[in-house]
Amino acid sequence: QAQLVESGGGLVQVGDSLRLSCAASGFTDSLRMMGWFRQAPGKEREFVAATTTHSGDFYSDSVKGRFIISRDNAKNTVYLQMNSPKPEDTAVYYCTAGVWYKGTYDYPKDYNYWGQGTQVTVSS
């Protein structure tokens, strides 16, 4: 069993940057894929970014070129660097982890573990 705890959310203005962190504990060596989803009020949870152990990183079209996902295995932590945030990036951001990468990464069902979420609000 793995546990995920997010931090770093808050209020940010357009043009600023924000970095989210997700600390993993438990069977972290078995986590082949880690990622971030987000959910805005009244909307479904949507994929943001994912990093895999052998197949690289993936991003949604809406954040590609602005957000960067990274993983520090020594610290069992995954990060989401949010550059040039926009008001439409406002949402609760969830860290997630999967035991296997089976070729898909942008559906919640691809993952086994979830954090409780951290609110990000982008003000114009």
Side-chain angles (χ1 to χ4, degrees):
Q1 193 80 4
Q3 293 80 41
L4 306 174
V5 178
E6 304 98 336
S7 62
L11 177 64
V12 63
Q13 292 190 333
V14 170
D16 289 343
S17 296
L18 189 69
R19 189 176 77 163
L20 305 182
S21 300
C22 173
S25 61
F27 297 105
T28 55
D29 288 345
S30 65
L31 301 177
R32 299 290 184 264
M33 181 166 66
M34 297 190 73
W36 293 90
F37 280 68
R38 66 187 181 187
Q39 188 166 17
K43 295 187 177 181
E44 293 187 353
R45 192 168 297 190
E46 67 171 0
F47 169 74
V48 176
T51 182
T52 65
T53 53
H54 296 96
S55 299
D57 302 335
F58 304 96
Y59 297 91
S60 69
D61 289 341
S62 62
V63 307
K64 193 176 298 181
R66 299 188 297 122
F67 293 5
I68 301 171
I69 190 170
S70 60
R71 180 174 179 175
D72 186 335
N73 291 321
K75 297 182 178 180
N76 293 323
T77 301
V78 64
Y79 303 96
L80 185 68
Q81 178 68 40
M82 301 173 62
N83 299 321
S84 302
K86 304 175 181 179
E88 51 264 44
D89 294 322
T90 295
V92 177
Y93 283 70
Y94 295 92
C95 177
T96 187
V99 175
W100 299 106
Y101 171 56
K102 299 180 179 179
T104 59
Y105 50 83
D106 51 352
Y107 295 98
K109 66 176 178 61
D110 296 327
Y111 299 84
N112 305 99
Y113 305 104
W114 293 85
Q116 292 188 331
T118 185
Q119 175 71 45
V120 173
T121 302
V122 183
S123 172
S124 58

